[in-house]
Coordinates of all heavy atoms in Angstrom, one line a residue:
M6 N 17.4 -6.6 -3.8 CA 17.3 -5.4 -2.9 C 16.1 -4.6 -3.2 O 15.5 -4.0 -2.4 CB 18.6 -4.6 -3.0 CG 18.7 -3.5 -2.0 SD 18.6 -4.1 -0.3 CE 19.4 -2.8 0.5
G7 N 15.7 -4.6 -4.5 CA 14.6 -3.8 -4.9 C 13.3 -4.2 -4.3 O 12.5 -3.4 -3.9
Y8 N 13.1 -5.6 -4.2 CA 11.9 -6.1 -3.7 C 11.8 -5.8 -2.2 O 10.7 -5.6 -1.6 CB 11.7 -7.6 -4.0 CG 11.3 -7.8 -5.4 CD1 12.2 -8.2 -6.4 CD2 10.0 -7.7 -5.7 CE1 11.8 -8.4 -7.7 CE2 9.6 -7.9 -7.1 CZ 10.5 -8.3 -8.0 OH 10.1 -8.5 -9.3
L9 N 13.0 -5.9 -1.5 CA 13.0 -5.6 -0.1 C 12.6 -4.1 0.2 O 11.8 -3.8 1.1 CB 14.4 -5.8 0.5 CG 14.6 -5.6 2.0 CD1 13.7 -6.6 2.8 CD2 16.0 -5.8 2.4
L10 N 13.2 -3.2 -0.6 CA 12.8 -1.8 -0.5 C 11.3 -1.6 -0.8 O 10.7 -0.8 -0.1 CB 13.7 -1.0 -1.4 CG 15.1 -0.8 -1.1 CD1 15.9 -0.2 -2.2 CD2 15.3 0.0 0.2
L11 N 10.9 -2.3 -1.8 CA 9.5 -2.2 -2.2 C 8.6 -2.7 -1.0 O 7.5 -2.1 -0.7 CB 9.2 -3.0 -3.4 CG 7.8 -2.9 -4.0 CD1 7.4 -1.5 -4.3 CD2 7.6 -3.8 -5.2
G12 N 9.0 -3.7 -0.4 CA 8.2 -4.3 0.8 C 8.1 -3.2 1.9 O 7.0 -3.0 2.5
F13 N 9.2 -2.6 2.2 CA 9.2 -1.5 3.2 C 8.4 -0.3 2.7 O 7.7 0.3 3.5 CB 10.6 -1.1 3.6 CG 11.3 -2.1 4.5 CD1 12.5 -2.6 4.1 CD2 10.8 -2.5 5.7 CE1 13.2 -3.6 4.9 CE2 11.4 -3.4 6.5 CZ 12.6 -4.0 6.1
A14 N 8.4 0.0 1.4 CA 7.6 1.1 0.9 C 6.1 0.8 1.1 O 5.3 1.7 1.4 CB 7.9 1.3 -0.6
I15 N 5.7 -0.5 0.8 CA 4.3 -0.9 1.0 C 3.9 -0.8 2.5 O 2.9 -0.2 2.8 CB 4.1 -2.3 0.5 CG1 4.3 -2.3 -1.1 CG2 2.8 -2.8 0.9 CD1 4.4 -3.7 -1.6
A16 N 4.8 -1.2 3.4 CA 4.5 -1.2 4.8 C 4.3 0.3 5.2 O 3.4 0.6 6.0 CB 5.6 -1.8 5.6
A17 N 5.2 1.2 4.8 CA 5.0 2.6 5.1 C 3.8 3.2 4.6 O 3.1 4.0 5.3 CB 6.3 3.4 4.6
E18 N 3.4 2.8 3.4 CA 2.2 3.3 2.8 C 0.9 2.8 3.5 O 0.0 3.6 3.7 CB 2.1 2.9 1.3 CG 1.0 3.6 0.5 CD -0.3 2.7 0.5 OE1 -0.1 1.5 0.6 OE2 -1.4 3.3 0.3
V19 N 0.9 1.6 3.9 CA -0.2 1.0 4.6 C -0.3 1.7 6.0 O -1.4 2.0 6.4 CB 0.0 -0.5 4.7 CG1 -1.0 -1.1 5.7 CG2 -0.2 -1.2 3.4
A20 N 0.8 1.9 6.7 CA 0.8 2.5 8.0 C 0.3 4.0 7.8 O -0.5 4.4 8.6 CB 2.2 2.6 8.6
A21 N 0.7 4.7 6.7 CA 0.2 6.0 6.5 C -1.3 6.1 6.2 O -2.0 7.0 6.8 CB 1.0 6.7 5.4
T22 N -1.8 5.2 5.4 CA -3.2 5.2 5.1 C -4.0 4.8 6.4 O -5.1 5.4 6.6 CB -3.5 4.2 4.0 OG1 -2.7 4.5 2.8 CG2 -4.9 4.1 3.6
T23 N -3.5 3.9 7.1 CA -4.2 3.5 8.4 C -4.2 4.7 9.4 O -5.3 5.0 10.0 CB -3.6 2.3 9.0 OG1 -3.6 1.2 8.1 CG2 -4.3 1.8 10.3
A24 N -3.1 5.4 9.5 CA -3.0 6.5 10.3 C -4.0 7.6 9.9 O -4.5 8.4 10.7 CB -1.6 7.1 10.4
M25 N -4.1 7.8 8.5 CA -5.0 8.8 8.0 C -6.5 8.5 8.5 O -7.2 9.5 8.8 CB -5.0 8.8 6.5 CG -5.8 9.9 5.9 SD -5.9 9.9 4.1 CE -4.2 9.8 3.6
K26 N -6.9 7.3 8.6 CA -8.2 7.0 9.1 C -8.3 7.4 10.6 O -9.3 8.0 11.0 CB -8.5 5.5 9.0 CG -9.8 5.0 9.6 CD -10.9 5.4 8.7 CE -12.2 4.7 9.3 NZ -13.4 5.3 8.6
Y27 N -7.2 7.2 11.3 CA -7.2 7.6 12.7 C -7.1 9.1 12.9 O -7.4 9.6 14.0 CB -6.1 6.9 13.5 CG -6.3 5.4 13.8 CD1 -5.6 4.4 13.2 CD2 -7.3 5.1 14.7 CE1 -5.8 3.1 13.5 CE2 -7.6 3.7 15.0 CZ -6.8 2.7 14.4 OH -7.0 1.4 14.7
S28 N -6.7 9.8 11.9 CA -6.5 11.2 12.0 C -7.8 12.0 12.1 O -7.8 13.2 12.4 CB -5.6 11.8 10.9 OG -6.4 11.9 9.7
D29 N -8.9 11.4 11.8 CA -10.2 12.0 11.8 C -10.2 13.3 11.0 O -10.5 14.4 11.5 CB -10.6 12.3 13.3 CG -12.1 12.6 13.4 OD1 -12.9 12.1 12.6 OD2 -12.5 13.3 14.4
G30 N -9.9 13.1 9.7 CA -9.9 14.3 8.8 C -8.7 15.2 9.1 O -8.9 16.4 8.9
F31 N -7.6 14.7 9.6 CA -6.4 15.5 9.9 C -6.7 16.5 11.1 O -6.1 17.5 11.3 CB -5.9 16.3 8.8 CG -5.3 15.4 7.7 CD1 -5.9 15.4 6.4 CD2 -4.2 14.6 7.9 CE1 -5.4 14.6 5.4 CE2 -3.7 13.7 6.9 CZ -4.3 13.8 5.7
S32 N -7.7 16.1 12.0 CA -8.0 16.9 13.2 C -7.2 16.4 14.4 O -7.2 17.1 15.4 CB -9.5 16.9 13.5 OG -9.9 15.6 13.8
K33 N -6.5 15.3 14.3 CA -5.7 14.7 15.4 C -4.2 14.8 15.0 O -3.9 14.2 13.9 CB -6.1 13.3 15.7 CG -7.5 13.3 16.3 CD -7.9 11.8 16.6 CE -9.4 11.8 17.1 NZ -9.9 10.4 17.3
L34 N -3.4 15.4 15.8 CA -2.0 15.7 15.4 C -1.2 14.5 15.1 O -0.6 14.4 14.1 CB -1.4 16.6 16.4 CG 0.1 17.0 16.1 CD1 0.2 17.8 14.8 CD2 0.7 17.8 17.3
L35 N -1.1 13.6 16.1 CA -0.2 12.5 15.9 C -0.5 11.6 14.7 O 0.4 11.3 13.9 CB -0.1 11.6 17.2 CG 0.9 10.5 17.2 CD1 2.3 11.0 17.0 CD2 0.8 9.7 18.5
P36 N -1.7 11.2 14.5 CA -2.0 10.4 13.3 C -1.8 11.2 12.0 O -1.4 10.6 11.0 CB -3.5 10.0 13.5 CG -3.8 10.1 14.9 CD -2.9 11.2 15.4
S37 N -2.0 12.5 12.1 CA -1.7 13.3 10.9 C -0.2 13.3 10.6 O 0.1 13.2 9.4 CB -2.3 14.7 11.1 OG -3.6 14.7 11.4
V38 N 0.6 13.4 11.6 CA 2.1 13.4 11.4 C 2.5 12.1 10.9 O 3.3 12.0 9.9 CB 2.8 13.8 12.7 CG1 4.3 13.6 12.6 CG2 2.5 15.3 13.0
V39 N 2.0 11.0 11.5 CA 2.3 9.6 11.0 C 1.9 9.5 9.5 O 2.7 8.9 8.8 CB 1.7 8.6 11.9 CG1 1.8 7.2 11.3 CG2 2.2 8.6 13.3
T40 N 0.8 10.0 9.2 CA 0.3 9.9 7.8 C 1.4 10.6 6.8 O 1.8 10.0 5.8 CB -1.0 10.6 7.6 OG1 -2.0 9.9 8.4 CG2 -1.5 10.6 6.1
A41 N 1.7 11.8 7.2 CA 2.6 12.6 6.3 C 4.0 11.9 6.2 O 4.5 11.7 5.1 CB 2.8 14.0 6.8
V42 N 4.5 11.5 7.4 CA 5.9 10.9 7.4 C 5.8 9.6 6.7 O 6.7 9.2 5.9 CB 6.4 10.7 8.8 CG1 7.6 9.9 8.9 CG2 6.6 12.1 9.5
G43 N 4.7 8.8 6.9 CA 4.6 7.5 6.2 C 4.6 7.6 4.7 O 5.2 6.8 4.0
Y44 N 3.9 8.6 4.2 CA 3.8 8.7 2.7 C 5.2 9.2 2.2 O 5.6 8.7 1.1 CB 2.7 9.7 2.3 CG 1.4 9.0 2.3 CD1 0.3 9.4 3.0 CD2 1.1 7.9 1.5 CE1 -0.9 8.8 3.0 CE2 -0.1 7.2 1.4 CZ -1.1 7.7 2.2 OH -2.3 7.1 2.2
V45 N 5.9 10.1 2.9 CA 7.2 10.5 2.4 C 8.1 9.3 2.4 O 8.8 9.1 1.4 CB 7.7 11.7 3.3 CG1 9.2 11.9 3.0 CG2 6.9 12.9 3.1
V46 N 8.2 8.6 3.5 CA 9.0 7.4 3.5 C 8.7 6.4 2.4 O 9.6 5.8 1.8 CB 8.9 6.7 4.9 CG1 9.6 5.3 5.0 CG2 9.6 7.6 6.0
S47 N 7.4 6.2 2.2 CA 6.9 5.2 1.2 C 7.4 5.6 -0.2 O 7.9 4.8 -0.9 CB 5.4 5.1 1.2 OG 5.0 4.2 0.2
F48 N 7.3 6.9 -0.5 CA 7.7 7.4 -1.8 C 9.2 7.4 -2.0 O 9.7 7.0 -3.1 CB 7.1 8.8 -2.1 CG 5.7 8.7 -2.6 CD1 4.7 9.3 -1.8 CD2 5.3 8.1 -3.8 CE1 3.4 9.2 -2.2 CE2 4.0 8.1 -4.1 CZ 3.0 8.6 -3.3
V49 N 9.9 7.7 -0.9 CA 11.4 7.6 -1.0 C 11.9 6.2 -1.3 O 12.7 5.9 -2.1 CB 12.1 8.2 0.2 CG1 13.5 7.9 0.3 CG2 11.8 9.7 0.3
L50 N 11.3 5.2 -0.5 CA 11.6 3.8 -0.7 C 11.2 3.3 -2.0 O 11.9 2.5 -2.7 CB 11.0 3.0 0.4 CG 11.6 3.2 1.8 CD1 10.8 2.5 2.9 CD2 13.1 2.8 1.9
L51 N 10.0 3.7 -2.5 CA 9.6 3.3 -3.9 C 10.5 3.8 -4.9 O 10.9 3.1 -5.8 CB 8.2 3.8 -4.1 CG 7.6 3.5 -5.5 CD1 7.5 2.0 -5.8 CD2 6.2 4.1 -5.6
A52 N 11.0 5.1 -4.8 CA 11.9 5.6 -5.7 C 13.2 4.9 -5.7 O 13.8 4.6 -6.8 CB 12.2 7.1 -5.4
Q53 N 13.7 4.4 -4.6 CA 14.9 3.6 -4.5 C 14.7 2.3 -5.1 O 15.6 1.8 -5.8 CB 15.4 3.5 -3.0 CG 15.8 4.8 -2.4 CD 16.9 5.4 -3.1 OE1 17.9 4.8 -3.4 NE2 16.8 6.7 -3.4
A54 N 13.6 1.7 -4.9 CA 13.3 0.4 -5.5 C 13.3 0.4 -7.0 O 13.7 -0.5 -7.7 CB 11.9 -0.2 -5.0
L55 N 12.8 1.6 -7.5 CA 12.7 1.8 -9.0 C 14.1 1.8 -9.7 O 14.2 1.7 -10.9 CB 11.9 3.0 -9.3 CG 10.4 2.9 -9.1 CD1 9.8 4.3 -9.3 CD2 9.8 1.8 -9.9
K56 N 15.1 2.0 -8.9 CA 16.5 1.9 -9.5 C 16.8 0.5 -10.0 O 17.6 0.4 -11.0 CB 17.5 2.3 -8.4 CG 17.5 3.8 -8.0 CD 18.6 4.0 -7.0 CE 18.7 5.5 -6.6 NZ 19.8 5.7 -5.6
S57 N 16.2 -0.5 -9.5 CA 16.5 -1.9 -9.9 C 15.3 -2.6 -10.4 O 15.4 -3.8 -10.7 CB 17.2 -2.6 -8.8 OG 16.3 -2.8 -7.7
M58 N 14.1 -2.0 -10.5 CA 12.9 -2.7 -10.9 C 12.2 -1.9 -12.0 O 12.4 -0.6 -12.0 CB 11.9 -2.8 -9.7 CG 12.4 -3.6 -8.5 SD 11.2 -3.6 -7.2 CE 9.9 -4.6 -7.9
S59 N 11.5 -2.5 -12.8 CA 10.7 -1.8 -13.8 C 9.5 -1.1 -13.1 O 9.0 -1.5 -12.1 CB 10.2 -2.7 -14.9 OG 9.1 -3.5 -14.4
I60 N 9.2 0.1 -13.6 CA 8.1 0.9 -13.0 C 6.8 0.2 -13.0 O 6.0 0.3 -12.0 CB 8.0 2.3 -13.7 CG1 7.2 3.2 -12.8 CG2 7.6 2.2 -15.1 CD1 7.2 4.7 -13.2
G61 N 6.5 -0.5 -14.1 CA 5.2 -1.2 -14.1 C 5.0 -2.3 -13.1 O 4.0 -2.4 -12.4
T62 N 6.1 -3.1 -12.9 CA 6.0 -4.2 -11.9 C 6.0 -3.6 -10.5 O 5.2 -4.0 -9.7 CB 7.3 -5.1 -12.1 OG1 7.2 -5.7 -13.4 CG2 7.3 -6.1 -11.0
A63 N 6.9 -2.6 -10.2 CA 7.0 -2.0 -8.9 C 5.7 -1.4 -8.5 O 5.1 -1.6 -7.4 CB 8.1 -1.0 -8.8
Y64 N 5.1 -0.6 -9.4 CA 3.9 0.1 -9.1 C 2.7 -0.8 -8.9 O 1.8 -0.7 -8.1 CB 3.6 1.2 -10.1 CG 2.4 2.1 -9.6 CD1 2.7 3.0 -8.6 CD2 1.2 2.0 -10.2 CE1 1.6 3.8 -8.2 CE2 0.1 2.8 -9.7 CZ 0.4 3.7 -8.7 OH -0.7 4.5 -8.3
A65 N 2.6 -1.9 -9.8 CA 1.6 -2.8 -9.7 C 1.6 -3.5 -8.3 O 0.6 -3.7 -7.6 CB 1.7 -3.9 -10.8
I66 N 2.8 -3.9 -7.9 CA 2.9 -4.6 -6.6 C 2.6 -3.6 -5.5 O 1.9 -3.9 -4.5 CB 4.3 -5.2 -6.5 CG1 4.5 -6.3 -7.5 CG2 4.6 -5.7 -5.0 CD1 6.0 -6.8 -7.6
W67 N 3.2 -2.4 -5.5 CA 3.0 -1.4 -4.5 C 1.5 -1.1 -4.3 O 1.0 -1.1 -3.2 CB 3.8 -0.2 -4.9 CG 3.8 0.9 -3.9 CD1 4.5 1.0 -2.7 CD2 3.1 2.2 -4.0 NE1 4.2 2.2 -2.1 CE2 3.4 2.9 -2.8 CE3 2.2 2.7 -4.9 CZ2 2.8 4.2 -2.6 CZ3 1.7 4.0 -4.7 CH2 2.0 4.7 -3.6
S68 N 0.8 -0.8 -5.4 CA -0.6 -0.4 -5.3 C -1.4 -1.6 -5.0 O -2.4 -1.5 -4.2 CB -1.0 0.3 -6.6 OG -0.9 -0.6 -7.7
G69 N -1.2 -2.8 -5.6 CA -2.0 -3.9 -5.4 C -1.9 -4.5 -4.0 O -2.9 -4.7 -3.3
V70 N -0.7 -4.7 -3.5 CA -0.5 -5.3 -2.2 C -1.0 -4.3 -1.1 O -1.6 -4.6 -0.2 CB 0.9 -5.7 -1.9 CG1 1.2 -6.1 -0.5 CG2 1.3 -6.8 -2.9
G71 N -0.7 -3.0 -1.4 CA -1.2 -1.9 -0.4 C -2.7 -1.9 -0.4 O -3.2 -1.8 0.7
T72 N -3.3 -1.9 -1.5 CA -4.8 -1.9 -1.5 C -5.4 -3.1 -0.8 O -6.3 -3.0 0.0 CB -5.3 -1.8 -3.0 OG1 -4.8 -0.7 -3.6 CG2 -6.8 -1.8 -3.0
A73 N -4.9 -4.3 -1.1 CA -5.4 -5.5 -0.5 C -5.2 -5.5 1.0 O -6.0 -5.9 1.8 CB -4.8 -6.7 -1.1
T74 N -4.0 -5.0 1.5 CA -3.7 -5.0 2.9 C -4.6 -4.0 3.6 O -5.1 -4.2 4.7 CB -2.2 -4.6 3.1 OG1 -1.4 -5.6 2.4 CG2 -1.8 -4.7 4.6
V75 N -4.7 -2.8 3.0 CA -5.6 -1.8 3.6 C -7.0 -2.3 3.7 O -7.7 -2.0 4.7 CB -5.5 -0.4 2.9 CG1 -6.6 0.5 3.3 CG2 -4.1 0.2 3.1
A76 N -7.5 -3.0 2.7 CA -8.9 -3.5 2.8 C -9.0 -4.5 3.9 O -10.0 -4.5 4.6 CB -9.2 -4.2 1.4
A77 N -8.0 -5.3 4.1 CA -8.0 -6.3 5.2 C -8.0 -5.6 6.5 O -8.7 -6.0 7.5 CB -6.8 -7.3 5.1
L78 N -7.1 -4.6 6.6 CA -7.1 -3.8 7.9 C -8.4 -3.1 8.2 O -8.8 -3.0 9.4 CB -5.9 -2.8 7.9 CG -4.5 -3.5 8.0 CD1 -3.4 -2.4 7.8 CD2 -4.4 -4.1 9.3
G79 N -9.0 -2.6 7.1 CA -10.3 -2.0 7.3 C -11.3 -3.0 8.0 O -12.1 -2.6 8.8
L80 N -11.3 -4.2 7.5 CA -12.1 -5.2 8.1 C -11.8 -5.5 9.5 O -12.7 -5.5 10.4 CB -12.0 -6.5 7.2 CG -12.7 -7.7 7.7 CD1 -14.2 -7.6 7.4 CD2 -12.2 -9.0 6.9
V81 N -10.5 -5.7 9.8 CA -10.1 -6.1 11.2 C -10.1 -4.9 12.2 O -10.6 -5.0 13.3 CB -8.6 -6.7 11.1 CG1 -8.1 -6.9 12.5 CG2 -8.6 -7.9 10.3
L82 N -9.6 -3.8 11.8 CA -9.5 -2.6 12.7 C -10.7 -1.7 12.8 O -11.0 -1.2 13.9 CB -8.3 -1.8 12.3 CG -6.9 -2.4 12.4 CD1 -5.8 -1.4 11.9 CD2 -6.6 -2.9 13.8
F83 N -11.4 -1.6 11.7 CA -12.5 -0.6 11.7 C -13.9 -1.3 11.5 O -14.9 -0.6 11.3 CB -12.2 0.4 10.6 CG -10.9 1.1 10.7 CD1 -9.9 0.8 9.8 CD2 -10.6 1.9 11.8 CE1 -8.7 1.4 9.9 CE2 -9.4 2.5 11.9 CZ -8.4 2.3 11.0
G84 N -13.9 -2.6 11.5 CA -15.2 -3.3 11.4 C -15.9 -3.0 10.0 O -17.2 -3.1 10.0
E85 N -15.2 -2.7 9.0 CA -15.8 -2.5 7.7 C -16.3 -3.8 7.2 O -15.8 -4.9 7.4 CB -14.8 -1.9 6.7 CG -14.4 -0.5 7.2 CD -13.3 0.1 6.3 OE1 -12.8 -0.6 5.4 OE2 -13.0 1.3 6.6
G86 N -17.4 -3.8 6.4 CA -18.0 -5.0 5.9 C -17.2 -5.7 4.8 O -16.4 -5.0 4.2
L87 N -17.5 -6.9 4.7 CA -16.8 -7.7 3.6 C -17.9 -8.3 2.8 O -18.7 -9.2 3.2 CB -15.9 -8.8 4.2 CG -15.1 -9.6 3.2 CD1 -14.1 -8.7 2.6 CD2 -14.4 -10.7 4.0
S88 N -18.0 -7.8 1.6 CA -19.0 -8.3 0.6 C -18.4 -9.1 -0.5 O -17.2 -9.0 -0.7 CB -19.8 -7.1 0.1 OG -18.9 -6.3 -0.7
L89 N -19.2 -9.8 -1.2 CA -18.7 -10.5 -2.4 C -18.0 -9.6 -3.4 O -16.9 -10.0 -3.9 CB -19.8 -11.4 -3.0 CG -19.4 -12.3 -4.1 CD1 -18.3 -13.3 -3.6 CD2 -20.6 -13.1 -4.7
P90 N -18.6 -8.5 -3.7 CA -17.9 -7.6 -4.6 C -16.5 -7.1 -4.1 O -15.6 -7.0 -4.9 CB -18.8 -6.4 -4.8 CG -20.2 -7.0 -4.5 CD -19.9 -8.0 -3.5
K91 N -16.4 -6.9 -2.8 CA -15.1 -6.5 -2.2 C -14.1 -7.6 -2.4 O -12.9 -7.4 -2.8 CB -15.2 -6.1 -0.8 CG -15.4 -4.7 -0.5 CD -15.3 -4.4 1.0 CE -15.6 -3.0 1.3 NZ -15.5 -2.7 2.7
V92 N -14.5 -8.8 -2.1 CA -13.6 -10.0 -2.2 C -13.2 -10.1 -3.6 O -12.0 -10.3 -3.9 CB -14.3 -11.2 -1.6 CG1 -13.4 -12.5 -2.0 CG2 -14.5 -11.1 -0.1
A93 N -14.2 -10.0 -4.5 CA -13.8 -10.2 -6.0 C -12.9 -9.1 -6.4 O -11.9 -9.4 -7.2 CB -15.1 -10.1 -6.8
G94 N -13.0 -7.9 -6.0 CA -12.1 -6.8 -6.3 C -10.7 -7.0 -5.8 O -9.7 -6.8 -6.6
I95 N -10.6 -7.5 -4.6 CA -9.3 -7.8 -4.0 C -8.6 -8.9 -4.8 O -7.4 -8.9 -5.2 CB -9.4 -8.1 -2.5 CG1 -9.7 -6.8 -1.8 CG2 -8.0 -8.7 -2.0 CD1 -10.1 -7.1 -0.3
V96 N -9.4 -10.0 -5.1 CA -8.9 -11.1 -5.9 C -8.4 -10.6 -7.3 O -7.3 -11.0 -7.8 CB -9.9 -12.2 -6.0 CG1 -9.5 -13.3 -7.0 CG2 -10.1 -12.9 -4.7
L97 N -9.2 -9.8 -7.9 CA -8.8 -9.2 -9.2 C -7.5 -8.4 -9.2 O -6.7 -8.5 -10.1 CB -9.9 -8.5 -9.8 CG -11.1 -9.3 -10.3 CD1 -12.3 -8.4 -10.7 CD2 -10.7 -10.2 -11.5
I98 N -7.4 -7.6 -8.1 CA -6.2 -6.8 -7.9 C -4.9 -7.7 -7.8 O -3.9 -7.5 -8.5 CB -6.3 -5.9 -6.7 CG1 -7.3 -4.8 -7.0 CG2 -4.9 -5.3 -6.3 CD1 -7.7 -4.0 -5.7
I99 N -5.1 -8.7 -7.0 CA -3.9 -9.7 -6.8 C -3.7 -10.4 -8.1 O -2.5 -10.6 -8.5 CB -4.2 -10.6 -5.6 CG1 -4.2 -9.8 -4.3 CG2 -3.2 -11.8 -5.6 CD1 -4.8 -10.6 -3.1
A100 N -4.7 -10.8 -8.8 CA -4.5 -11.5 -10.1 C -3.8 -10.6 -11.1 O -3.0 -11.1 -11.8 CB -5.9 -12.0 -10.6
G101 N -4.2 -9.4 -11.1 CA -3.6 -8.4 -12.0 C -2.1 -8.3 -11.7 O -1.3 -8.3 -12.7
V102 N -1.7 -8.2 -10.5 CA -0.3 -8.2 -10.1 C 0.5 -9.4 -10.6 O 1.5 -9.4 -11.2 CB -0.1 -7.9 -8.6 CG1 1.4 -8.1 -8.2 CG2 -0.6 -6.6 -8.2
V103 N -0.2 -10.6 -10.4 CA 0.4 -11.8 -10.8 C 0.6 -11.9 -12.3 O 1.7 -12.2 -12.8 CB -0.4 -13.0 -10.3 CG1 0.1 -14.3 -10.9 CG2 -0.3 -13.1 -8.7
V104 N -0.4 -11.5 -13.0 CA -0.4 -11.5 -14.5 C 0.7 -10.6 -15.0 O 1.4 -10.9 -15.9 CB -1.8 -11.2 -15.1 CG1 -1.7 -11.0 -16.6 CG2 -2.8 -12.3 -14.8
L105 N 0.8 -9.4 -14.4 CA 1.9 -8.5 -14.8 C 3.2 -9.1 -14.7 O 4.1 -8.9 -15.5 CB 1.8 -7.2 -14.1 CG 0.8 -6.1 -14.6 CD1 0.7 -4.9 -13.7 CD2 1.3 -5.6 -16.0
N106 N 3.4 -9.7 -13.5 CA 4.7 -10.4 -13.3 C 5.0 -11.5 -14.2 O 6.1 -11.7 -14.6 CB 4.8 -10.8 -11.8 CG 5.2 -9.6 -10.9 OD1 6.2 -9.0 -11.0 ND2 4.3 -9.2 -10.0
L107 N 4.0 -12.3 -14.4 CA 4.2 -13.5 -15.3 C 4.3 -13.1 -16.8 O 4.9 -13.8 -17.6 CB 3.0 -14.5 -15.2 CG 2.8 -15.2 -13.8 CD1 1.6 -16.0 -13.8 CD2 4.1 -16.0 -13.6
G108 N 3.7 -11.9 -17.1 CA 3.8 -11.5 -18.5 C 5.0 -10.7 -18.9 O 5.1 -10.2 -19.9
G109 N 6.0 -10.7 -18.0 CA 7.3 -10.1 -18.3 C 7.3 -8.6 -18.2 O 8.1 -8.0 -18.8
A110 N 6.5 -8.1 -17.2 CA 6.5 -6.6 -17.0 C 7.8 -6.2 -16.3 O 8.0 -5.0 -16.2 CB 5.3 -6.2 -16.2
H111 N 8.6 -7.1 -15.9 CA 9.8 -6.7 -15.2 C 11.0 -7.0 -16.1 O 12.0 -6.5 -16.2 CB 9.9 -7.3 -13.9 CG 9.8 -8.8 -13.9 ND1 8.7 -9.5 -14.5 CD2 10.4 -9.8 -13.3 CE1 8.8 -10.8 -14.3 NE2 9.8 -11.0 -13.6

């Protein structure tokens, strides 16, 4: 159940971060509200996931998957460039999450 809650927490965080980009510096009401609600939902779900998961594992997955997903959305939705250093950074984030999980962080 913890991983399911964590997945929803990640989805809410990614939606909130994407909405923040659309908010134009919080000058547009609807994306600003989506941002605020998304982060609250994300943190509540993360807190619930932590009841059955170790904090290191949960946070590594939450931040790593969220970062990689937001980077991909930046490419697709906002036409942000994709450079070799960006790809390397995303690969290193994902590798770090994998290593934490393999290393018994949970």
Side-chain angles (χ1 to χ4, degrees):
M6 187 61 155
Y8 284 99
L9 182 63
L10 290 169
L11 184 61
F13 285 123
I15 292 167
E18 187 268 333
V19 167
T22 302
T23 304
M25 187 186 306
K26 176 73 171 171
Y27 284 113
S28 78
D29 196 27
F31 295 116
S32 65
K33 295 179 181 172
L34 180 61
L35 184 58
S37 298
V38 170
V39 171
T40 298
V42 170
Y44 280 121
V45 168
V46 168
S47 180
F48 281 113
V49 167
L50 291 172
L51 178 59
Q53 293 302 309
L55 290 175
K56 288 180 177 180
S57 63
M58 299 178 70
S59 73
I60 191 168
T62 299
Y64 190 74
I66 294 169
W67 183 76
S68 60
V70 172
T72 299
T74 303
V75 168
L78 287 174
L80 177 69
V81 173
L82 297 177
F83 305 112
E85 295 176 356
L87 186 63
S88 63
L89 187 57
K91 265 191 184 178
V92 171
I95 292 168
V96 168
L97 288 170
I98 290 167
I99 293 168
V102 171
V103 170
V104 170
L105 274 174
N106 280 297
L107 293 176
H111 52 312

